[in-house]
Amino acid sequence: MGAETVRRWFLPTLLALSSLGLDSISLQAQEPRPRTQIVEDLYDAQLLDANEGWAVGAFGSVYHTIDGGKHWLGQGTPTTQHLYGVSFANVENGWVVGRSGTILHTADGGAHWVAQQSNTSKHLFNVRFLDSQEGWAVGDWSVVLHTTNGGVTWRDRSLGEDRILYAVDFVDRDTGWMVGELGSIRRTIDGGRTWARQQVGMQKTLFGLAAVSKDKAWAVGIDGLVVRTVDGGVTWQVQRGEGEVESLERVGSPESLENAGLYDIEIRGGKGYAVGDVGNLLVSEDAGESWTRVLLPAEWRLSWIRGLSVLPSGRGIVVGASGLTFAVDGRDMHFSQNTAAAAIGGQID
């Protein structure tokens, strides 16, 4: 087994234990649970505005906030499968995806969640809806699913390769990217009818993706990699991290901590954020042109961070291990899991 094959299993979403799925039923939301009581690992989040947002994670957990993340309401779901991705088209319609082909949909703002038929048992790691009807989901074994009717039916558009796809993002109905294992990058300019392979110049796995315009996109991955294109993917530039395969062997070295794996990235409102292992939080205040590492408070510094969501203003929310959630606004971080850590400005190294 090669170093890259071994290394991909360090992704937190793949370390979690499998759990049994439940029958497709609709459950009422649970009682409100403040952030200090969230113990599940969280894998993805989405903010709809400054107050309302969602987070999803282990054992079918879905959380909803209406006060900017100060408090979270646990939502009842018909599954105990780990949920890895969330996408809301509007305040009413949202989808989450996860292990063993799990897809859940709400049409009433999370009051009820109903399973949709994905017709696959492969793990789904990311989902993006362009509106209330059209959406995409990607996952293990290059599975690609597409719906044009809100998930009533999902069409299999898989690539037929032995590679994991971890993220998909669109800038408009025609233009989008997918990224994944072994430096896999594909782009569509025809609404997903075809996906052209692009060359990033290395074979390291990419976990996160931010499609900013038809010309500009960023991706992040193993060994602190931040890569970008400014020409629609004709060329990709390594902005940060280790691009050489040999660096995979340096696990445990100081470089592996400085260049810890990155799992998600977003750039909006002139600000950018990338998150990953050992409390790795990178911040850009020039729309992704440069990146600075911000240190979390000591109690969270070794925790992995898996997902984030950013508003057009540049403010965002971040989620990760053991219920870790906090708000970001540039270099400022605002924690409410611990009152002593609330409203702490990040340290810069």
Side-chain angles (χ1 to χ4, degrees):
M1 183 177 292
E4 173 66 13
T5 303
V6 173
R7 191 62 187 278
R8 75 184 186 185
W9 294 102
F10 282 86
L11 180 66
T13 57
L14 296 180
L15 285 174
L17 297 175
S18 300
S19 54
L20 297 176
L22 300 178
D23 292 337
S24 175
I25 57 176
S26 178
L27 302 177
Q28 295 291 333
Q30 303 165 7
E31 290 300 312
R33 297 171 64 181
R35 180 179 289 168
T36 51
Q37 294 181 12
I38 300 177
V39 297
E40 298 93 343
D41 293 336
L42 299 175
Y43 300 127
D44 197 17
Q46 183 179 359
L47 284 175
L48 303 183
D49 56 37
N51 295 312
E52 187 168 11
W54 298 86
V56 301
F59 304 112
S61 58
V62 175
Y63 288 95
H64 181 213
T65 181
I66 57 173
D67 59 8
K70 295 178 182 178
H71 302 86
W72 292 88
L73 179 74
Q75 306 284 294
T77 68
T79 186
T80 56
Q81 296 284 5
H82 300 327
L83 301 174
Y84 299 135
V86 57
S87 181
F88 270 74
N90 50 50
V91 295
E92 298 295 331
N93 285 279
W95 291 259
V96 295
V97 300
R99 289 186 62 89
S100 302
T102 299
I103 301 179
L104 305 180
H105 172 238
T106 181
D108 54 13
H112 304 83
W113 290 89
V114 177
Q116 294 186 332
Q117 294 298 319
S118 67
N119 298 313
T120 183
S121 61
K122 298 180 177 68
H123 306 325
L124 300 174
F125 293 124
N126 197 221
V127 59
R128 284 292 181 271
F129 267 77
L130 310 183
D131 54 35
S132 62
Q133 298 300 306
E134 185 173 11
W136 296 83
V138 299
D140 209 357
W141 291 92
S142 294
V143 64
V144 180
L145 302 180
H146 181 220
T147 182
T148 56
N149 57 12
V152 176
T153 57
W154 287 87
R155 182 182 178 186
D156 188 350
R157 302 291 300 276
S158 299
L159 303 181
E161 299 177 344
D162 181 11
R163 293 190 180 187
I164 302 171
L165 294 173
Y166 285 113
V168 58
D169 200 11
F170 279 77
V171 296
D172 55 36
R173 194 171 296 278
D174 294 324
T175 308
W177 278 269
M178 298 187 297
V179 301
E181 194 177 24
L182 299 173
S184 178
I185 299 181
R186 287 179 178 261
R187 182 181 186 236
T188 182
I189 57 173
D190 56 14
R193 287 187 292 275
T194 60
W195 292 89
R197 183 181 285 108
Q198 296 189 327
Q199 300 299 323
V200 71
M202 54 85 185
Q203 295 292 307
K204 290 191 174 182
T205 291
L206 300 169
F207 296 126
L209 170 66
V212 176
S213 70
K214 291 184 177 182
D215 295 323
K216 292 185 178 183
W218 278 254
V220 295
I222 278 177
D223 293 317
L225 273 175
V226 180
V227 298
R228 73 162 181 180
T229 180
V230 295
D231 55 15
V234 176
T235 58
W236 286 83
Q237 168 196 4
V238 176
Q239 280 190 304
R240 191 181 189 280
E242 294 286 352
E244 297 299 324
V245 174
E246 289 77 8
S247 66
L248 289 172
E249 308 302 328
R250 292 191 285 179
V251 177
S253 69
E255 290 88 349
S256 68
L257 295 177
E258 173 66 21
N259 293 323
L262 295 169
Y263 297 132
D264 202 0
I265 182 170
E266 283 205 26
I267 298 172
R268 300 187 76 185
K271 297 177 183 176
Y273 308 90
V275 297
D277 277 331
V278 291
N280 206 3
L281 172 63
L282 303 181
V283 175
S284 173
E285 295 183 299
D286 53 13
E289 292 298 316
S290 61
W291 298 88
T292 301
R293 189 180 183 205
V294 179
L295 294 181
L296 271 63
E299 62 185 295
W300 298 107
R301 200 162 292 172
L302 296 181
S303 300
W304 52 259
I305 310 171
R306 182 62 181 85
L308 71 154
S309 178
V310 182
L311 296 171
S313 66
R315 296 176 59 188
I317 196 164
V318 176
V319 299
S322 303
L324 173 63
T325 58
F326 60 94
V328 290
D329 188 0
R331 299 180 182 183
D332 293 327
M333 297 179 288
H334 299 271
F335 292 75
S336 61
Q337 302 95 325
N338 182 332
T339 55
I344 293 179
Q347 300 177 17
I348 310 302
D349 69 346

